[in-house]
């Protein structure tokens, strides 16, 4: 017959909490223009384009009106593509058992990486002028860029959280 606390691990680790994440983050691309901003930009650009094309038409340069219409169409398509790309995101989680990174594209496609936290390190590429340029998870021979579409401030916060969680996991073993 065994006596004592059966739920306690000999190393002092609780088996029930081993798969709980120490750090989780959802990282979204930086978008400076919201839906209302999009409408305002499009309305202002269309008004400027309309006034300018009417002035050109009256001066006898009628083909220019069509080119202004093409410019507005190109601006609309570019902003819509940017909004669609903004629906992508990354999920990062660190637990004592694994580091997981999932990248979800705008169409819902998912790509995942899983690493052993004891073999995973964080590489940074800093720039004096622009801040943290690149953050990479490295495990064995695999290199995966994290927070690639985030702004430098957000990337710095993610780097601090990842480094802290990795240090806690490595300290526990």
């Amino acid at each position: 017959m065994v006596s004592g606390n059966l739920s306690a691990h000999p190393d002092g680790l609780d088996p029930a909490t081993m798969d709980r994440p120490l750090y989780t983050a959802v990282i979204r691309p930086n978008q400076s223009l919201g839906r209302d901003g999009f409408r305002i930009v499009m309305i202002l650009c269309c008004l400027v384009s309309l006034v300018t094309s009417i002035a050109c038409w009256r001066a006898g340069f009628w083909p220019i009106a069509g080119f202004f219409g093409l410019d507005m169409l190109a601006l609309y398509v570019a902003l819509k593509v940017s909004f669609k790309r903004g629906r992508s995101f990354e999920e990062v989680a660190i637990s004592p058992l694994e580091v997981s990174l999932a990248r979800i594209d705008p169409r819902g496609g998912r790509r995942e990486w899983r690493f052993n936290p004891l073999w995973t390190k964080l590489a940074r590429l800093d720039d004096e002028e622009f801040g943290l340029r690149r953050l990479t998870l490295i495990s064995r021979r695999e290199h995966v860029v994290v927070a690639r579409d985030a702004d430098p401030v957000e990337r710095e916060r993610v780097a601090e959280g990842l480094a802290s969680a990795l240090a806690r996991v490595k300290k526990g073993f």
Side-chain angles (χ1 to χ4, degrees):
M1 179 151 213
V2 178
S3 65
N5 186 357
L6 296 178
S7 66
H9 190 271
D11 294 331
L13 300 172
D14 183 9
T17 63
M18 288 300 286
D19 60 346
R20 289 189 192 146
L22 299 172
Y23 176 80
T24 59
V26 176
I27 307 159
R28 299 194 179 276
N30 182 25
Q31 286 192 313
S32 58
L33 192 63
R35 297 255 179 233
D36 293 336
F38 168 74
R39 287 187 190 105
I40 291 170
V41 166
M42 286 305 298
I43 288 170
L44 290 177
C45 287
C46 285
L47 286 175
V48 168
S49 177
L50 181 66
V51 168
T52 309
S53 63
I54 289 173
C56 289
W57 184 291
R58 293 188 66 182
F61 305 118
W62 57 267
I64 292 187
F67 287 110
F68 275 116
L70 287 176
D71 287 346
M72 290 303 99
L73 180 64
L75 178 64
Y76 177 80
V77 168
L79 289 174
K80 282 297 187 179
V81 168
S82 173
F83 281 132
K84 189 172 190 174
R85 187 169 181 234
R87 290 195 309 243
S88 65
F89 60 94
E90 293 175 302
E91 295 174 334
V92 181
I94 297 179
S95 74
L97 297 178
E98 75 176 355
V99 175
S100 68
L101 171 66
R103 192 170 288 145
I104 294 86
D105 64 21
R107 293 182 180 162
R110 184 178 184 97
R111 184 154 183 219
E112 292 188 33
W113 294 268
R114 297 188 185 281
F115 306 115
N116 184 330
L118 300 178
W119 297 336
T120 303
K121 68 178 184 174
L122 205 55
R124 302 169 51 115
L125 177 62
D126 289 300
D127 188 322
E128 291 177 8
E129 187 175 346
F130 299 108
L132 182 57
R133 300 287 294 182
R134 185 180 312 143
L135 186 62
T136 308
L137 283 173
I138 301 171
S139 183
R140 295 190 176 185
R141 294 184 189 130
E142 199 163 5
H143 303 266
V144 181
V145 176
V146 180
R148 63 182 181 175
D149 294 331
D151 64 355
V153 175
E154 178 75 17
R155 201 174 294 127
E156 185 66 43
R157 283 198 309 256
V158 170
E160 290 170 3
L162 288 173
S164 171
L166 283 172
R168 283 177 33 206
V169 168
K170 291 176 182 179
K171 183 180 178 184
F173 284 99

